[in-house]
Amino acid sequence: MENFEFFNPTRIVFGKDTENKIGDILKKDRIKKVLFVYGKESIKKIGLYDRVVMALKERGIEFIEHGGVKPNPVLGHARQGIEKAKKEKVDAILAVGGGSVIDEGKTIAVGAKTKKDVWRFFKRQDEIKGALPVYTILTVAATGTEMNENAVITNEETKEKLSISSHHIYPKVSILNPELTFSVSSQYQAYAAVDAIAHVIEYYFSGSYCPMIQNRFIEGLIKTVMDTTESILKEPDNYNARAEFMWAATLALNGLAKLGIKGGSFPNHMIAHALGGLYDLAHGACLSIVIPAWMRWYKDKNPAQFERFAKELFDKNKAEEGILELKTWFKKIGAPVNLQDAGISESDIPKIVDNAYNIAEVWNMKDIYTKDVLTEILKNANY
Amino acid sequence: MENFEFFNPTRIVFGKDTENKIGDILKKDRIKKVLFVYGKESIKKIGLYDRVVMALKERGIEFIEHGGVKPNPVLGHARQGIEKAKKEKVDAILAVGGGSVIDEGKTIAVGAKTKKDVWRFFKRQDEIKGALPVYTILTVAATGTEMNENAVITNEETKEKLSISSHHIYPKVSILNPELTFSVSSQYQAYAAVDAIAHVIEYYFSGSYCPMIQNRFIEGLIKTVMDTTESILKEPDNYNARAEFMWAATLALNGLAKLGIKGGSFPNHMIAHALGGLYDLAHGACLSIVIPAWMRWYKDKNPAQFERFAKELFDKNKAEEGILELKTWFKKIGAPVNLQDAGISESDIPKIVDNAYNIAEVWNMKDIYTKDVLTEILKNANY
């Protein structure tokens, strides 16, 4: 096992009716005024907006609304939120929604505490020194952002989809009620499943040594994601399936799964962000296109681990069989598995490669992920 | 999945040479004076004492020594530590050793911040309102106390071995260097393995519903504990085996493994504490006697889970086979599996039952664990 540090100060409040505790939670932390960040209509449709407003009013907590966060959140809208947060002198961010809402909330939390333009942090030109406290109520389990220190946003002008990581943006408290995810569509459940799986397989495959304790942890999470997704697709209001899926998605990217793994990076996410930046495609959909393609390209660099994956997850003997099984499963649950599925033409590959290479530069991965390599991987995504 | 809350603010610093960071860690938190708690000679033999003293001196951190913690720490010695901590007005507790040292350190941390006698908290007559910050350097991986909110101590006068739980005693930072565990004897490695397994199986079996995500997490940890223990017994300085064992033991009782499980309690620990209080037997040795006996008594209350255990861990079809396999494995690694192994006479059973029943009263478990039931279980521990 490689040396590591682990620290995750997010408090998780999990279960039925837990969103009603938000007033007490904020009051306990002496929060008097929040920027209430949310998406479009979904939290109103499920009655969550009303319950949150009621809980805040009951505890005398002022709130300024910042609705309209897009599914792939954009820098421009986040900047508007930063202005509001500064002008209204809010104490905290309350983000109610899925990964997009929470990531925009985290971005605003950082931007509100600095005179610098927040995009500088995404470009890694500056280091984050502080942020407003962030509280979340999760409505779509997928990204794990409710319990991690990351945020992703798209600069809609430059089509760059980049990320920040800082312990300042670990949410203070995240409320996870599986019932709030009942109305997530089958399409988005499929994307969520792909995202959760992606989170654990990045290091599992790209690391040069994965401790057995982590192999078991990761494989257990993947099995849970797969089983529960199949249940959810048949029965969207299956509480236990939604609950186990939700917790698996949180665990997949809260820092635990990568500990002790030697090396490793997030190449699938890098390339997926290129697709997401260019085509405004859902993150999970970008990943389901990229993952089988990347796996085909990478497998000979870590043959033993790909064989293990095939065996442990699918009871197959060969690396290629494992990759095909995963791709087939993605297809089965309704996620796109090649560029055509997403209506993207092969002639766009050079443009996608350029975008991905820019990310590779920011993420310090361009030594391996040259434009030739990226081209080869994306051509794998075209059959 | 049942509703739950999860919060674990301990920072883990894991790996080779990490003990040398203790000075920087304390300095960063503005700690100026610590009570340096340790056991007997082992930290001096492995050069750890010297390295710690050097690190503290290099950062100008004063320390008052409180050595001599016993393997089953006792209240009297902890009270002496509390006096020292108060008299010397220390800012923090630095506990360097195994679970016993850390638990005594946590006990002192609580006692030093109150006028009340610390034993009141163990008897659950009072609630803990605060504690000095606790920093740890772990030298024996077993109990998980380095990353949890519990401490266990024995009142040597009354022979009661009881516990406290409070978020105030989560260590602020715990340093885990597997190399510091190389000198743990085979005997104590065996006891440690039993303790780690016990921590995850208590709720796994005694809960009325265990989510599949938790089944997989727990079974993965048990497999890791078993594999790595076998490697360690052959090769005590196998870094990777020690490292994976260490992390498995931490994960086994840091709050994660019980989340979402319905019901559940710690009956094996309850009865093991009775043995530990009366006979000063190592905690893991008490558990290896109790666990197979308790499992035999309990299996018909949760047959499906006992069958699952047998299948997943040992590829056996029957509950009884799983229990026998575990008992055999305990024996194989050198842990006692019945009272005679520990030199305890059957005629002592009534005395053990009385002690266990007292704990059951404090832990609110006497409805199920009547004296008759405890007697039946302990008779199971006698073949």
mmCIF file of all heavy atoms in Angstrom, chain A residues 1 3-9 12 14-16 211-213 216 224 227 240 244 247, chain B residues 1 3-9 12 14-16 211-213 216 224 227 240 244 259:
data_model
loop_
_atom_site.group_PDB
_atom_site.id
_atom_site.type_symbol
_atom_site.label_atom_id
_atom_site.label_comp_id
_atom_site.label_asym_id
_atom_site.label_seq_id
_atom_site.Cartn_x
_atom_site.Cartn_y
_atom_site.Cartn_z
ATOM 1 N N MET A 1 0.844 -1.214 0.000
ATOM 2 C CA MET A 1 0.000 0.000 0.000
ATOM 3 C C MET A 1 0.865 1.245 0.000
ATOM 4 O O MET A 1 1.799 1.364 0.787
ATOM 5 C CB MET A 1 -0.867 0.023 1.266
ATOM 6 C CG MET A 1 -2.219 -0.616 1.033
ATOM 7 S SD MET A 1 -3.269 -0.667 2.472
ATOM 8 C CE MET A 1 -4.444 0.635 2.071
ATOM 9 N N ASN A 3 1.730 5.212 0.708
ATOM 10 C CA ASN A 3 1.380 6.159 1.776
ATOM 11 C C ASN A 3 0.160 6.971 1.356
ATOM 12 O O ASN A 3 -0.029 7.258 0.178
ATOM 13 C CB ASN A 3 2.538 7.135 2.030
ATOM 14 C CG ASN A 3 3.660 6.519 2.836
ATOM 15 O OD1 ASN A 3 3.785 5.297 2.926
ATOM 16 N ND2 ASN A 3 4.484 7.368 3.413
ATOM 17 N N PHE A 4 -0.666 7.342 2.307
ATOM 18 C CA PHE A 4 -1.810 8.199 1.985
ATOM 19 C C PHE A 4 -2.223 9.013 3.194
ATOM 20 O O PHE A 4 -1.845 8.723 4.325
ATOM 21 C CB PHE A 4 -2.999 7.375 1.469
ATOM 22 C CG PHE A 4 -3.635 6.430 2.485
ATOM 23 C CD1 PHE A 4 -4.551 6.885 3.423
ATOM 24 C CD2 PHE A 4 -3.337 5.071 2.465
ATOM 25 C CE1 PHE A 4 -5.144 6.008 4.339
ATOM 26 C CE2 PHE A 4 -3.934 4.186 3.366
ATOM 27 C CZ PHE A 4 -4.828 4.655 4.301
ATOM 28 N N GLU A 5 -3.017 10.041 2.927
ATOM 29 C CA GLU A 5 -3.725 10.754 3.995
ATOM 30 C C GLU A 5 -5.202 10.699 3.667
ATOM 31 O O GLU A 5 -5.589 10.779 2.507
ATOM 32 C CB GLU A 5 -3.256 12.214 4.091
ATOM 33 C CG GLU A 5 -1.869 12.333 4.666
ATOM 34 C CD GLU A 5 -1.525 13.718 5.194
ATOM 35 O OE1 GLU A 5 -2.423 14.468 5.579
ATOM 36 O OE2 GLU A 5 -0.317 14.006 5.214
ATOM 37 N N PHE A 6 -6.021 10.540 4.707
ATOM 38 C CA PHE A 6 -7.463 10.526 4.501
ATOM 39 C C PHE A 6 -8.132 11.431 5.513
ATOM 40 O O PHE A 6 -7.879 11.331 6.721
ATOM 41 C CB PHE A 6 -8.034 9.108 4.637
ATOM 42 C CG PHE A 6 -9.541 9.072 4.495
ATOM 43 C CD1 PHE A 6 -10.131 9.175 3.250
ATOM 44 C CD2 PHE A 6 -10.367 8.988 5.614
ATOM 45 C CE1 PHE A 6 -11.526 9.195 3.118
ATOM 46 C CE2 PHE A 6 -11.759 8.994 5.490
ATOM 47 C CZ PHE A 6 -12.332 9.101 4.239
ATOM 48 N N PHE A 7 -8.957 12.309 5.005
ATOM 49 C CA PHE A 7 -9.695 13.218 5.885
ATOM 50 C C PHE A 7 -10.974 13.593 5.182
ATOM 51 O O PHE A 7 -10.938 14.083 4.052
ATOM 52 C CB PHE A 7 -8.862 14.470 6.164
ATOM 53 C CG PHE A 7 -9.580 15.514 6.977
ATOM 54 C CD1 PHE A 7 -10.073 15.222 8.234
ATOM 55 C CD2 PHE A 7 -9.783 16.792 6.479
ATOM 56 C CE1 PHE A 7 -10.741 16.184 8.993
ATOM 57 C CE2 PHE A 7 -10.443 17.767 7.226
ATOM 58 C CZ PHE A 7 -10.919 17.461 8.479
ATOM 59 N N ASN A 8 -12.102 13.313 5.790
ATOM 60 C CA ASN A 8 -13.381 13.670 5.185
ATOM 61 C C ASN A 8 -14.324 14.134 6.271
ATOM 62 O O ASN A 8 -14.897 13.316 6.990
ATOM 63 C CB ASN A 8 -13.976 12.488 4.424
ATOM 64 C CG ASN A 8 -15.148 12.923 3.568
ATOM 65 O OD1 ASN A 8 -15.932 13.779 3.959
ATOM 66 N ND2 ASN A 8 -15.265 12.335 2.391
ATOM 67 N N PRO A 9 -14.476 15.447 6.399
ATOM 68 C CA PRO A 9 -15.240 15.998 7.516
ATOM 69 C C PRO A 9 -16.725 16.184 7.233
ATOM 70 O O PRO A 9 -17.430 16.747 8.061
ATOM 71 C CB PRO A 9 -14.581 17.361 7.713
ATOM 72 C CG PRO A 9 -14.176 17.762 6.322
ATOM 73 C CD PRO A 9 -13.785 16.486 5.626
ATOM 74 N N ILE A 12 -22.916 13.142 7.147
ATOM 75 C CA ILE A 12 -23.985 12.614 6.300
ATOM 76 C C ILE A 12 -25.221 12.362 7.162
ATOM 77 O O ILE A 12 -25.121 11.729 8.216
ATOM 78 C CB ILE A 12 -23.562 11.271 5.659
ATOM 79 C CG1 ILE A 12 -22.372 11.472 4.716
ATOM 80 C CG2 ILE A 12 -24.737 10.611 4.936
ATOM 81 C CD1 ILE A 12 -22.684 12.228 3.443
ATOM 82 N N PHE A 14 -28.678 10.553 6.536
ATOM 83 C CA PHE A 14 -29.215 9.666 5.499
ATOM 84 C C PHE A 14 -30.565 9.095 5.887
ATOM 85 O O PHE A 14 -30.719 8.537 6.965
ATOM 86 C CB PHE A 14 -28.212 8.515 5.300
ATOM 87 C CG PHE A 14 -28.498 7.632 4.110
ATOM 88 C CD1 PHE A 14 -27.723 7.732 2.958
ATOM 89 C CD2 PHE A 14 -29.521 6.680 4.141
ATOM 90 C CE1 PHE A 14 -27.969 6.920 1.848
ATOM 91 C CE2 PHE A 14 -29.772 5.859 3.038
ATOM 92 C CZ PHE A 14 -28.988 5.980 1.889
ATOM 93 N N GLY A 15 -31.529 9.222 4.990
ATOM 94 C CA GLY A 15 -32.763 8.470 5.196
ATOM 95 C C GLY A 15 -34.040 9.246 4.946
ATOM 96 O O GLY A 15 -34.046 10.409 4.512
ATOM 97 N N LYS A 16 -35.131 8.557 5.268
ATOM 98 C CA LYS A 16 -36.472 9.097 5.004
ATOM 99 C C LYS A 16 -36.684 10.380 5.797
ATOM 100 O O LYS A 16 -36.336 10.456 6.968
ATOM 101 C CB LYS A 16 -37.530 8.062 5.412
ATOM 102 C CG LYS A 16 -37.460 6.787 4.600
ATOM 103 C CD LYS A 16 -38.559 5.787 4.957
ATOM 104 C CE LYS A 16 -38.311 4.487 4.171
ATOM 105 N NZ LYS A 16 -39.396 3.533 4.239
ATOM 106 N N PRO A 211 -4.100 -2.504 -3.900
ATOM 107 C CA PRO A 211 -4.143 -3.435 -2.774
ATOM 108 C C PRO A 211 -5.412 -4.287 -2.807
ATOM 109 O O PRO A 211 -6.470 -3.822 -3.250
ATOM 110 C CB PRO A 211 -4.149 -2.512 -1.548
ATOM 111 C CG PRO A 211 -3.631 -1.206 -2.027
ATOM 112 C CD PRO A 211 -4.047 -1.102 -3.454
ATOM 113 N N MET A 212 -5.308 -5.505 -2.323
ATOM 114 C CA MET A 212 -6.446 -6.413 -2.350
ATOM 115 C C MET A 212 -7.640 -5.847 -1.587
ATOM 116 O O MET A 212 -8.787 -6.012 -1.998
ATOM 117 C CB MET A 212 -6.034 -7.783 -1.788
ATOM 118 C CG MET A 212 -7.022 -8.889 -2.055
ATOM 119 S SD MET A 212 -7.416 -9.141 -3.822
ATOM 120 C CE MET A 212 -5.831 -9.750 -4.422
ATOM 121 N N ILE A 213 -7.381 -5.150 -0.481
ATOM 122 C CA ILE A 213 -8.493 -4.568 0.277
ATOM 123 C C ILE A 213 -9.279 -3.599 -0.605
ATOM 124 O O ILE A 213 -10.507 -3.506 -0.510
ATOM 125 C CB ILE A 213 -7.987 -3.895 1.588
ATOM 126 C CG1 ILE A 213 -9.151 -3.463 2.465
ATOM 127 C CG2 ILE A 213 -7.047 -2.735 1.293
ATOM 128 C CD1 ILE A 213 -8.736 -2.935 3.843
ATOM 129 N N ARG A 216 -11.381 -5.486 -3.354
ATOM 130 C CA ARG A 216 -12.635 -6.015 -2.803
ATOM 131 C C ARG A 216 -13.653 -4.904 -2.566
ATOM 132 O O ARG A 216 -14.833 -5.055 -2.858
ATOM 133 C CB ARG A 216 -12.360 -6.770 -1.504
ATOM 134 C CG ARG A 216 -11.606 -8.062 -1.740
ATOM 135 C CD ARG A 216 -11.157 -8.710 -0.434
ATOM 136 N NE ARG A 216 -10.565 -10.013 -0.704
ATOM 137 C CZ ARG A 216 -9.486 -10.485 -0.103
ATOM 138 N NH1 ARG A 216 -8.863 -9.769 0.838
ATOM 139 N NH2 ARG A 216 -9.005 -11.679 -0.409
ATOM 140 N N THR A 224 -22.886 -3.649 -6.296
ATOM 141 C CA THR A 224 -24.057 -2.986 -5.717
ATOM 142 C C THR A 224 -24.666 -2.008 -6.713
ATOM 143 O O THR A 224 -25.889 -1.943 -6.880
ATOM 144 C CB THR A 224 -23.666 -2.273 -4.415
ATOM 145 O OG1 THR A 224 -23.248 -3.255 -3.471
ATOM 146 C CG2 THR A 224 -24.848 -1.502 -3.833
ATOM 147 N N ASP A 227 -26.522 -4.217 -9.409
ATOM 148 C CA ASP A 227 -27.756 -4.857 -8.916
ATOM 149 C C ASP A 227 -28.856 -3.837 -8.666
ATOM 150 O O ASP A 227 -30.006 -4.038 -9.059
ATOM 151 C CB ASP A 227 -27.510 -5.536 -7.547
ATOM 152 C CG ASP A 227 -26.626 -6.749 -7.639
ATOM 153 O OD1 ASP A 227 -26.355 -7.218 -8.763
ATOM 154 O OD2 ASP A 227 -26.201 -7.220 -6.560
ATOM 155 N N ASN A 240 -35.171 0.501 -0.936
ATOM 156 C CA ASN A 240 -33.885 -0.117 -0.589
ATOM 157 C C ASN A 240 -32.887 -0.071 -1.737
ATOM 158 O O ASN A 240 -31.696 0.150 -1.516
ATOM 159 C CB ASN A 240 -34.074 -1.546 -0.104
ATOM 160 C CG ASN A 240 -34.251 -1.577 1.400
ATOM 161 O OD1 ASN A 240 -33.675 -0.778 2.132
ATOM 162 N ND2 ASN A 240 -35.080 -2.490 1.869
ATOM 163 N N GLU A 244 -29.376 1.887 -1.351
ATOM 164 C CA GLU A 244 -28.059 1.262 -1.496
ATOM 165 C C GLU A 244 -27.306 1.864 -2.671
ATOM 166 O O GLU A 244 -26.090 2.052 -2.612
ATOM 167 C CB GLU A 244 -28.201 -0.256 -1.658
ATOM 168 C CG GLU A 244 -28.711 -0.933 -0.399
ATOM 169 C CD GLU A 244 -28.312 -2.395 -0.307
ATOM 170 O OE1 GLU A 244 -27.229 -2.758 -0.832
ATOM 171 O OE2 GLU A 244 -29.059 -3.181 0.308
ATOM 172 N N TRP A 247 -25.904 5.305 -1.456
ATOM 173 C CA TRP A 247 -24.729 5.204 -0.583
ATOM 174 C C TRP A 247 -23.520 4.687 -1.360
ATOM 175 O O TRP A 247 -22.403 5.147 -1.153
ATOM 176 C CB TRP A 247 -25.048 4.343 0.637
ATOM 177 C CG TRP A 247 -23.984 4.348 1.687
ATOM 178 C CD1 TRP A 247 -23.383 3.251 2.257
ATOM 179 C CD2 TRP A 247 -23.360 5.486 2.302
ATOM 180 N NE1 TRP A 247 -22.432 3.640 3.176
ATOM 181 C CE2 TRP A 247 -22.401 5.006 3.226
ATOM 182 C CE3 TRP A 247 -23.510 6.873 2.168
ATOM 183 C CZ2 TRP A 247 -21.608 5.852 4.007
ATOM 184 C CZ3 TRP A 247 -22.728 7.717 2.943
ATOM 185 C CH2 TRP A 247 -21.785 7.206 3.850
ATOM 186 N N MET B 1 -32.470 0.030 3.727
ATOM 187 C CA MET B 1 -31.452 0.603 4.614
ATOM 188 C C MET B 1 -32.110 1.476 5.662
ATOM 189 O O MET B 1 -32.970 2.295 5.338
ATOM 190 C CB MET B 1 -30.485 1.485 3.815
ATOM 191 C CG MET B 1 -29.275 0.708 3.328
ATOM 192 S SD MET B 1 -28.145 1.689 2.349
ATOM 193 C CE MET B 1 -26.833 1.956 3.542
ATOM 194 N N ASN B 3 -32.362 4.515 8.413
ATOM 195 C CA ASN B 3 -31.790 5.871 8.482
ATOM 196 C C ASN B 3 -30.495 5.848 9.291
ATOM 197 O O ASN B 3 -30.373 5.052 10.224
ATOM 198 C CB ASN B 3 -32.774 6.825 9.177
ATOM 199 C CG ASN B 3 -33.913 7.259 8.280
ATOM 200 O OD1 ASN B 3 -34.212 6.619 7.272
ATOM 201 N ND2 ASN B 3 -34.563 8.346 8.647
ATOM 202 N N PHE B 4 -29.555 6.702 8.956
ATOM 203 C CA PHE B 4 -28.324 6.789 9.740
ATOM 204 C C PHE B 4 -27.711 8.167 9.612
ATOM 205 O O PHE B 4 -28.057 8.933 8.728
ATOM 206 C CB PHE B 4 -27.308 5.719 9.315
ATOM 207 C CG PHE B 4 -26.746 5.855 7.908
ATOM 208 C CD1 PHE B 4 -25.723 6.748 7.622
ATOM 209 C CD2 PHE B 4 -27.238 5.070 6.866
ATOM 210 C CE1 PHE B 4 -25.204 6.867 6.326
ATOM 211 C CE2 PHE B 4 -26.729 5.178 5.566
ATOM 212 C CZ PHE B 4 -25.707 6.079 5.302
ATOM 213 N N GLU B 5 -26.784 8.458 10.529
ATOM 214 C CA GLU B 5 -25.918 9.631 10.398
ATOM 215 C C GLU B 5 -24.491 9.127 10.441
ATOM 216 O O GLU B 5 -24.166 8.197 11.171
ATOM 217 C CB GLU B 5 -26.160 10.636 11.526
ATOM 218 C CG GLU B 5 -27.482 11.352 11.362
ATOM 219 C CD GLU B 5 -27.578 12.652 12.138
ATOM 220 O OE1 GLU B 5 -26.565 13.318 12.419
ATOM 221 O OE2 GLU B 5 -28.731 13.004 12.462
ATOM 222 N N PHE B 6 -23.640 9.710 9.626
ATOM 223 C CA PHE B 6 -22.235 9.334 9.633
ATOM 224 C C PHE B 6 -21.372 10.578 9.681
ATOM 225 O O PHE B 6 -21.555 11.498 8.889
ATOM 226 C CB PHE B 6 -21.867 8.506 8.390
ATOM 227 C CG PHE B 6 -20.390 8.154 8.339
ATOM 228 C CD1 PHE B 6 -19.878 7.155 9.144
ATOM 229 C CD2 PHE B 6 -19.518 8.870 7.532
ATOM 230 C CE1 PHE B 6 -18.509 6.856 9.134
ATOM 231 C CE2 PHE B 6 -18.154 8.586 7.515
ATOM 232 C CZ PHE B 6 -17.655 7.575 8.319
ATOM 233 N N PHE B 7 -20.455 10.581 10.618
ATOM 234 C CA PHE B 7 -19.533 11.718 10.751
ATOM 235 C C PHE B 7 -18.269 11.204 11.380
ATOM 236 O O PHE B 7 -18.317 10.622 12.465
ATOM 237 C CB PHE B 7 -20.159 12.803 11.635
ATOM 238 C CG PHE B 7 -19.236 13.960 11.917
ATOM 239 C CD1 PHE B 7 -18.718 14.716 10.874
ATOM 240 C CD2 PHE B 7 -18.898 14.297 13.208
ATOM 241 C CE1 PHE B 7 -17.863 15.789 11.123
ATOM 242 C CE2 PHE B 7 -18.045 15.372 13.473
ATOM 243 C CZ PHE B 7 -17.524 16.118 12.429
ATOM 244 N N ASN B 8 -17.154 11.329 10.716
ATOM 245 C CA ASN B 8 -15.883 10.876 11.266
ATOM 246 C C ASN B 8 -14.810 11.875 10.905
ATOM 247 O O ASN B 8 -14.317 11.889 9.779
ATOM 248 C CB ASN B 8 -15.512 9.490 10.749
ATOM 249 C CG ASN B 8 -14.365 8.899 11.529
ATOM 250 O OD1 ASN B 8 -13.439 9.614 11.912
ATOM 251 N ND2 ASN B 8 -14.418 7.605 11.782
ATOM 252 N N PRO B 9 -14.459 12.746 11.856
ATOM 253 C CA PRO B 9 -13.545 13.836 11.552
ATOM 254 C C PRO B 9 -12.068 13.518 11.764
ATOM 255 O O PRO B 9 -11.227 14.397 11.658
ATOM 256 C CB PRO B 9 -13.979 14.913 12.559
ATOM 257 C CG PRO B 9 -14.428 14.117 13.742
ATOM 258 C CD PRO B 9 -15.047 12.858 13.194
ATOM 259 N N ILE B 12 -6.401 10.726 8.969
ATOM 260 C CA ILE B 12 -5.488 9.587 8.987
ATOM 261 C C ILE B 12 -4.243 9.940 8.169
ATOM 262 O O ILE B 12 -4.353 10.413 7.033
ATOM 263 C CB ILE B 12 -6.154 8.348 8.354
ATOM 264 C CG1 ILE B 12 -7.360 7.898 9.172
ATOM 265 C CG2 ILE B 12 -5.148 7.209 8.185
ATOM 266 C CD1 ILE B 12 -7.033 7.298 10.522
ATOM 267 N N PHE B 14 -1.135 7.874 6.880
ATOM 268 C CA PHE B 14 -0.811 6.450 6.771
ATOM 269 C C PHE B 14 0.456 6.213 5.985
ATOM 270 O O PHE B 14 0.603 6.701 4.859
ATOM 271 C CB PHE B 14 -1.991 5.751 6.060
ATOM 272 C CG PHE B 14 -1.927 4.235 6.071
ATOM 273 C CD1 PHE B 14 -2.750 3.506 6.913
ATOM 274 C CD2 PHE B 14 -1.060 3.537 5.223
ATOM 275 C CE1 PHE B 14 -2.723 2.104 6.928
ATOM 276 C CE2 PHE B 14 -1.007 2.141 5.239
ATOM 277 C CZ PHE B 14 -1.856 1.422 6.096
ATOM 278 N N GLY B 15 1.360 5.428 6.553
ATOM 279 C CA GLY B 15 2.479 4.974 5.753
ATOM 280 C C GLY B 15 3.838 5.060 6.421
ATOM 281 O O GLY B 15 3.983 5.404 7.608
ATOM 282 N N LYS B 16 4.852 4.731 5.616
ATOM 283 C CA LYS B 16 6.225 4.647 6.106
ATOM 284 C C LYS B 16 6.678 6.007 6.632
ATOM 285 O O LYS B 16 6.441 7.037 5.992
ATOM 286 C CB LYS B 16 7.159 4.196 4.978
ATOM 287 C CG LYS B 16 6.857 2.801 4.480
ATOM 288 C CD LYS B 16 7.801 2.334 3.377
ATOM 289 C CE LYS B 16 7.282 0.986 2.840
ATOM 290 N NZ LYS B 16 8.238 0.301 1.986
ATOM 291 N N PRO B 211 -28.049 -4.554 4.723
ATOM 292 C CA PRO B 211 -28.061 -4.240 3.289
ATOM 293 C C PRO B 211 -26.940 -4.961 2.550
ATOM 294 O O PRO B 211 -25.853 -5.175 3.111
ATOM 295 C CB PRO B 211 -27.828 -2.720 3.263
ATOM 296 C CG PRO B 211 -28.189 -2.238 4.621
ATOM 297 C CD PRO B 211 -27.883 -3.353 5.555
ATOM 298 N N MET B 212 -27.176 -5.284 1.300
ATOM 299 C CA MET B 212 -26.190 -6.020 0.529
ATOM 300 C C MET B 212 -24.872 -5.262 0.408
ATOM 301 O O MET B 212 -23.799 -5.863 0.440
ATOM 302 C CB MET B 212 -26.761 -6.331 -0.866
ATOM 303 C CG MET B 212 -25.954 -7.360 -1.641
ATOM 304 S SD MET B 212 -25.746 -8.963 -0.777
ATOM 305 C CE MET B 212 -27.446 -9.560 -0.811
ATOM 306 N N ILE B 213 -24.955 -3.922 0.318
ATOM 307 C CA ILE B 213 -23.721 -3.143 0.218
ATOM 308 C C ILE B 213 -22.851 -3.377 1.457
ATOM 309 O O ILE B 213 -21.621 -3.416 1.375
ATOM 310 C CB ILE B 213 -24.021 -1.633 0.006
ATOM 311 C CG1 ILE B 213 -22.758 -0.839 -0.283
ATOM 312 C CG2 ILE B 213 -24.803 -1.040 1.157
ATOM 313 C CD1 ILE B 213 -23.002 0.622 -0.672
ATOM 314 N N ARG B 216 -21.260 -6.976 1.509
ATOM 315 C CA ARG B 216 -20.059 -7.047 0.668
ATOM 316 C C ARG B 216 -18.868 -6.346 1.320
ATOM 317 O O ARG B 216 -17.744 -6.836 1.285
ATOM 318 C CB ARG B 216 -20.354 -6.431 -0.710
ATOM 319 C CG ARG B 216 -21.306 -7.269 -1.528
ATOM 320 C CD ARG B 216 -21.747 -6.580 -2.794
ATOM 321 N NE ARG B 216 -22.544 -7.491 -3.618
ATOM 322 C CZ ARG B 216 -23.619 -7.135 -4.295
ATOM 323 N NH1 ARG B 216 -24.061 -5.879 -4.264
ATOM 324 N NH2 ARG B 216 -24.270 -8.027 -5.022
ATOM 325 N N THR B 224 -9.858 -9.889 3.922
ATOM 326 C CA THR B 224 -8.563 -9.209 4.005
ATOM 327 C C THR B 224 -7.888 -9.497 5.343
ATOM 328 O O THR B 224 -6.682 -9.771 5.399
ATOM 329 C CB THR B 224 -8.746 -7.698 3.803
ATOM 330 O OG1 THR B 224 -9.234 -7.467 2.474
ATOM 331 C CG2 THR B 224 -7.429 -6.955 3.979
ATOM 332 N N ASP B 227 -6.573 -13.210 5.098
ATOM 333 C CA ASP B 227 -5.412 -13.382 4.207
ATOM 334 C C ASP B 227 -4.164 -12.738 4.771
ATOM 335 O O ASP B 227 -3.084 -13.336 4.774
ATOM 336 C CB ASP B 227 -5.653 -12.676 2.856
ATOM 337 C CG ASP B 227 -6.716 -13.334 2.012
ATOM 338 O OD1 ASP B 227 -7.117 -14.463 2.344
ATOM 339 O OD2 ASP B 227 -7.145 -12.703 1.023
ATOM 340 N N ASN B 240 3.259 -4.960 3.023
ATOM 341 C CA ASN B 240 1.929 -4.872 2.420
ATOM 342 C C ASN B 240 0.867 -5.613 3.227
ATOM 343 O O ASN B 240 -0.258 -5.131 3.365
ATOM 344 C CB ASN B 240 1.943 -5.365 0.980
ATOM 345 C CG ASN B 240 2.221 -4.226 0.006
ATOM 346 O OD1 ASN B 240 1.814 -3.087 0.221
ATOM 347 N ND2 ASN B 240 2.928 -4.530 -1.054
ATOM 348 N N GLU B 244 -2.286 -3.620 4.790
ATOM 349 C CA GLU B 244 -3.682 -3.915 4.486
ATOM 350 C C GLU B 244 -4.424 -4.373 5.738
ATOM 351 O O GLU B 244 -5.593 -4.038 5.936
ATOM 352 C CB GLU B 244 -3.789 -4.971 3.375
ATOM 353 C CG GLU B 244 -3.293 -4.455 2.030
ATOM 354 C CD GLU B 244 -3.897 -5.203 0.855
ATOM 355 O OE1 GLU B 244 -5.047 -5.673 0.971
ATOM 356 O OE2 GLU B 244 -3.211 -5.297 -0.189
ATOM 357 N N LEU B 259 -23.610 1.079 9.075
ATOM 358 C CA LEU B 259 -24.609 2.008 8.565
ATOM 359 C C LEU B 259 -25.729 1.290 7.816
ATOM 360 O O LEU B 259 -25.472 0.457 6.962
ATOM 361 C CB LEU B 259 -23.947 3.035 7.637
ATOM 362 C CG LEU B 259 -22.801 3.827 8.244
ATOM 363 C CD1 LEU B 259 -22.168 4.722 7.192
ATOM 364 C CD2 LEU B 259 -23.263 4.643 9.438
#
